């Protein structure tokens, strides 16, 4: 059977969100949440626009997905996020009991893996999907920022 | 000089927020954020009401305080929260670069101390202020819940 809805397919959607963040001069990180092969939430980093450190892509996606589902648990959902979640987002994902987290590139410094953030025992964490694209977008953003200053 | 605005004074305000949560059938945790002895944000847990795992008292208080200040960093602020913050909230507080966190009672299971959540190097964490009151309110809530079920 042909399966068009693979991890790369949904990560591309998350990358589109990251590009939308870039266009707003936000650190380019994007996320989507998928349930039954349907995207139920899309979000990108808005910390500058909203003046709010909690406005990471994942946080907004969690809120939007729960709103769509009419319940606060995301037990049968998968989050696709272009960069490995931070402690805050991984902590929120813990509470959501999400089924799967798929990230693109690692965040060695501030990501949940290096910082040992506890995930829900039922949550599976996978990484490396379209990591070059995710990481290049981030690098390009910071190079551009440096050149402007 | 008489100083009425000590830690117990502000923790009482956070406890009033926890009581407001209790009255809404929410796990009773409350928070306030203080800048220059002025309360700039008040919030209580609303995870059930909003169907949103991210709606912890601290998260809402961080957003509200940043909104009040017109900037996303809380460098000269103190958060008072009735129960030790979880990984998500401590992770958000990391990003906020908040000056001081004062909690009431410990959360041995899911609090940021046991789970080793990284705080900002400039953040001071203090605990135990009105801890009996905070912990009793929580216990009373869960006893009542158990008796109703």
């Amino acid at each position: 059977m042909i399966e068009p809805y693979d991890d790369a397919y949904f990560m591309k959607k998350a990358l589109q969100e990251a590009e939308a963040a870039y266009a707003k001069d936000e650190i380019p990180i994007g996320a989507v949440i998928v349930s039954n092969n349907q995207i139920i939430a899309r979000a990108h980093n808005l910390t500058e626009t909203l003046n709010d450190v909690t406005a990471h892509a994942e946080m907004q996606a969690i809120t939007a997905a729960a709103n769509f589902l009419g319940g606060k648990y995301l037990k049968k959902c998968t989050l696709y996020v272009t960069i490995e979640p931070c402690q805050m987002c991984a902590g929120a994902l813990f509470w959501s009991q999400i089924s799967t987290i798929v990230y693109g590139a690692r965040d060695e410094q501030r990501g949940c893996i290096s910082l040992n953030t506890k995930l829900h025992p039922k949550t599976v964490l996978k990484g490396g999907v379209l990591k070059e694209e995710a990481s290049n977008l981030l690098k390009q953003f910071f190079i551009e920022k440096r050149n402007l200053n």
Side-chain angles (χ1 to χ4, degrees), chain A residues 8-78:
Chain A
Y9 174 84
F10 289 118
M11 190 59 83
K12 266 181 203 154
K13 303 294 182 185
L15 278 164
Q16 285 170 7
E17 287 296 317
E19 283 159 12
Y22 196 122
K24 290 174 185 167
D25 211 24
E26 294 277 359
I27 294 177
I29 301 177
V32 299
I33 292 178
V34 174
S35 169
N36 288 324
N37 277 339
Q38 186 196 351
I39 293 175
I40 61 170
R42 300 169 193 265
H44 51 266
N45 178 38
L46 284 175
T47 48
E48 296 303 320
T49 308
L50 299 178
N51 251 332
D52 186 347
V53 296
T54 76
H56 283 193
E58 301 95 311
M59 300 301 283
Q60 298 175 70
I62 292 166
T63 300
N67 195 39
F68 177 88
L69 294 171
K72 67 188 201 293
Y73 297 117
L74 308 177
K75 291 183 189 184
K76 291 180 179 172
C77 298
T78 299

Side-chain angles (χ1 to χ4, degrees), chain A residues 6 23 27 30 39 41 51 58 61 63 72 78 81 85 88 95 97 99-100 103-104 106 108 117 122-123 132-133 149:
Chain A
D6 62 358
I27 294 177
I39 293 175
N51 251 332
E58 301 95 311
T63 300
K72 67 188 201 293
T78 299
V81 59
M88 169 181 70
W95 291 120
Q97 302 184 25
S99 170
T100 310
Y103 64 88
R106 284 285 309 273
E108 302 275 354
T117 312
K122 288 189 184 150
T123 300
E132 297 296 334
E133 289 84 339
N149 290 326

